[in-house]
Amino acid sequence: MAPSKRILCVGLCNLDIIQVCDAFPEEDSDQRSLQSRWQRGGNASNNCTVLALLGADAELLATFADSDHFRFAAERDLERRGIAIGNCVRHEGCEIPLSTVWLSAATGSRTIVHSNPNLPELTVGDFGGCDLSLYSWVHFEGRRSASEIAKMIASIKEWNDRSEEEKKIVISVDLEKPRDSNLLLVPNVDIIFLGKDFARFRGFNSAQEAVHGFRKEFPGSYTIICPWGSSGIAALDANGQYLSCGVYPPETVRDTLGAGDTFCAGCIFQLNRGSSLQAALEFGSKLAGAKIGDFGFDHLGGKISALLEGCSK
């Protein structure tokens, strides 16, 4: 059984407008999409969606735009799924963060153009409103406000230093975007999800090279996990033991949007309930493979029991 304590995901919540096309549109062309939809997006927001589908008690901490569109597309969906949002910060007069996404039916690839004109990022003051005694795990999405996120992580470290072992909180970060400020988030964390784009930005050419090279650059007793697309996943545990995992693609790839968020959430869910790192990697990989076989996330609900049964501790 999953622990009763909550998993908090800190980061972005935005609106995705998705167009499914035969192939990626040519410049200055006019074509019809095969289908279109709106859905709530953002890395931390997607993490919460998958965690809730898995049966975890999930909470999102994000900044919200005070607009009717945002309430309809994002807040109502979060509430419908039972994802806690009581600590989210609402800003008046701000435009909704928006991602326009083209999905290629030919390849399953996604191309994203993101807009966030004036919605502020979270601050350490916003994070201070969270009661840390409620959480067993806090997961951070690496964002441009890295200095503020580093302060949030430091505040959890202080909590852990004065807490009994059973009350300590696991801290994880997702370093995805190619920017140096992500390195501010390395100290004091327990688990790093090292994204392929960021790993390449740091000069690494494979998942195995990335986990070994990053640990050499930044020594510490953290676990580092690096998914590398179809090439598989590499990891080093806190003791430096190397682990790897393959991928489990579906017969037809339909929607890769949110696949990485699904993998992260699957690993977090399994580790939070006491699974080994190897079992967590396998489960996260299988869950991400199931996710890209259809559109959105809800189809995962019918596959979770079988996936959980197939992943031993």
Side-chain angles (χ1 to χ4, degrees):
M1 296 294 291
S4 58
K5 278 195 167 184
R6 183 171 287 179
I7 299 172
L8 174 65
C9 298
V10 183
L12 178 68
C13 182
N14 72 315
L15 178 63
D16 290 341
I17 297 180
I18 300 165
Q19 299 277 6
V20 183
C21 307
D22 283 318
F24 185 78
E26 294 182 13
E27 185 177 353
D28 200 25
S29 65
D30 185 357
Q31 69 180 67
R32 284 186 177 273
S33 64
L34 301 176
Q35 59 173 279
S36 62
R37 69 182 187 276
W38 290 14
Q39 74 180 33
R40 174 175 47 82
N43 289 17
S45 172
N46 290 340
N47 295 148
C48 284
T49 297
V50 178
L51 286 167
L53 286 168
L54 290 167
D57 182 2
E59 178 179 347
L60 174 67
L61 179 63
T63 52
F64 284 178
D66 185 30
S67 71
D68 291 339
H69 284 92
F70 193 87
R71 288 195 204 98
F72 176 77
E75 289 193 52
R76 288 188 184 179
D77 186 60
L78 287 159
E79 291 167 351
R80 175 179 68 85
R81 296 177 182 277
I83 297 168
I85 56 172
N87 288 311
C88 289
V89 183
R90 291 161 178 80
H91 291 277
E92 294 185 6
C94 291
E95 296 181 45
I96 184 171
L98 183 67
S99 290
T100 307
V101 185
W102 287 269
L103 288 179
S104 168
T107 64
S109 66
R110 85 286 185 275
T111 301
I112 305 172
V113 178
H114 184 64
S115 169
N116 187 359
N118 59 0
L119 185 66
E121 295 279 353
L122 288 164
T123 67
V124 68
D126 298 330
F127 185 75
C130 297
D131 180 358
L132 294 181
S133 68
L134 297 176
Y135 309 114
S136 60
W137 195 298
V138 180
H139 177 66
F140 292 92
E141 171 190 344
R143 299 195 54 73
R144 293 189 182 278
S145 56
S147 59
E148 288 296 300
I149 299 171
K151 294 174 188 175
M152 300 178 204
I153 292 171
S155 71
I156 303 175
K157 174 67 164 51
E158 291 175 10
W159 164 273
N160 284 343
D161 286 346
R162 62 176 184 266
S163 297
E164 299 172 1
E165 193 63 34
E166 64 272 12
K167 294 182 180 178
K168 293 187 181 204
I169 299 167
V170 178
I171 309 168
S172 62
V173 294
D174 182 10
L175 306 183
E176 180 188 24
K177 298 293 190 294
R179 46 181 174 244
D180 285 325
S181 60
N182 278 338
L183 299 176
L184 296 173
L185 309 182
V186 175
N188 300 321
V189 302
D190 300 297
I191 297 176
I192 293 173
F193 291 93
L194 189 67
K196 181 179 177 181
D197 288 346
F198 181 61
R200 280 179 163 169
F201 173 71
R202 296 295 304 170
F204 304 119
N205 297 306
S206 70
Q208 183 174 4
E209 181 185 336
V211 296
H212 286 291
F214 196 86
R215 173 68 64 76
K216 187 176 180 180
E217 280 191 73
F218 305 98
S221 57
Y222 55 86
T223 293
I224 181 167
I225 300 169
C226 183
W228 203 274
S230 60
S231 298
I233 300 140
L236 284 180
D237 69 12
N239 299 315
Q241 180 183 357
Y242 178 77
L243 301 95
S244 63
C245 173
V247 294
Y248 301 90
E251 233 177 85
T252 302
V253 175
R254 289 191 170 88
D255 180 7
T256 59
L257 181 65
D261 303 331
T262 301
F263 172 76
C264 284
C267 289
I268 290 169
F269 177 79
Q270 285 290 66
L271 293 171
N272 190 53
R273 67 204 295 260
S275 293
S276 68
L277 178 56
Q278 186 66 56
L281 297 177
E282 294 283 346
F283 178 75
S285 184
K286 289 176 180 177
L287 191 68
K291 181 264 167 290
I292 66 177
D294 212 334
F295 298 104
F297 298 96
D298 286 335
H299 63 283
L300 290 174
K303 303 175 185 292
I304 284 168
S305 294
L307 288 172
L308 286 172
E309 288 174 6
C311 290
S312 63
K313 290 190 179 182

